[in-house]
Amino acid sequence: MKRPWAALGLVLALSVCMVDNAEAQDMGSRQSRSGMSLGQNYPNPFNPETFIPFGVGDPPTCSQQGKQHRVTLRVYNPLYQLVSVPVVQGGVNAGQPINNLLLPCGDYVAYWDGKNVRTGREAASGIYYIRLEVDGKTLVSKGISTK
């Protein structure tokens, strides 16, 4: 009787981690999808902070000049619990959380100080998932790890 419940629990836990299997990619690669790209964080592993490169629109050509894209970038733990909403590094929007932020076409870098948004403490060592959403489309990368 205990085994079926354990198996069900495992299946449910794994399904939470599987955000969108078609979009998950290997570590170390730069992923792209029409209108967005997500690079590997650096340094990796990191302690205590990291930078996450991402692209919005179609840089460097930017075929839709002047268009503002709605962008959200979040970091999740393996249980798909929100850990952080990184901020834009440099530029006009520097320091703003990337949460429904309007950005023009271009390449950007996000900054995460390594702290858990809920507790304010340094995030635990392990693997984290980066989820980039641009105009309703998503990319997910599993590549952030801490020392």
Side-chain angles (χ1 to χ4, degrees):
M1 198 62 124
K2 290 182 181 181
R3 285 189 178 160
W5 288 109
L8 178 60
L10 178 63
V11 168
L12 289 174
L14 290 174
S15 67
V16 169
C17 292
M18 302 296 287
V19 178
D20 188 351
N21 194 28
E23 294 169 355
Q25 299 291 324
D26 291 333
M27 291 175 15
S29 63
R30 181 157 180 103
Q31 311 162 49
S32 63
R33 184 174 184 176
S34 179
M36 61 175 27
S37 64
L38 181 59
Q40 178 65 50
N41 69 295
Y42 61 90
N44 189 18
F46 72 94
N47 186 11
E49 60 189 17
T50 192
F51 300 89
I52 306 162
F54 68 98
V56 175
D58 306 320
T61 60
C62 294
S63 58
Q64 296 180 330
Q65 289 288 341
K67 179 179 178 184
Q68 296 287 306
H69 301 271
R70 187 162 305 278
V71 181
T72 298
L73 188 122
R74 294 184 175 175
V75 177
Y76 293 92
N77 67 17
L79 296 177
Y80 207 64
Q81 298 167 326
L82 180 65
V83 174
S84 178
V85 178
V87 298
V88 176
Q89 177 75 23
V92 177
N93 296 303
Q96 292 186 25
I98 307 169
N99 188 28
N100 288 317
L101 188 61
L102 291 174
L103 295 173
C105 178
D107 287 315
Y108 297 90
V109 175
Y111 169 76
W112 178 31
D113 63 5
K115 293 187 176 160
N116 187 313
V117 72
R118 291 176 293 158
T119 65
R121 294 182 180 172
E122 201 170 290
S125 292
I127 295 176
Y128 291 89
Y129 296 88
I130 308 166
R131 183 177 188 266
L132 173 66
E133 183 176 333
V134 177
D135 297 330
K137 298 177 185 175
T138 61
L139 280 175
V140 177
S141 170
K142 66 168 189 178
I144 292 182
S145 63
T146 61
K147 289 183 185 179

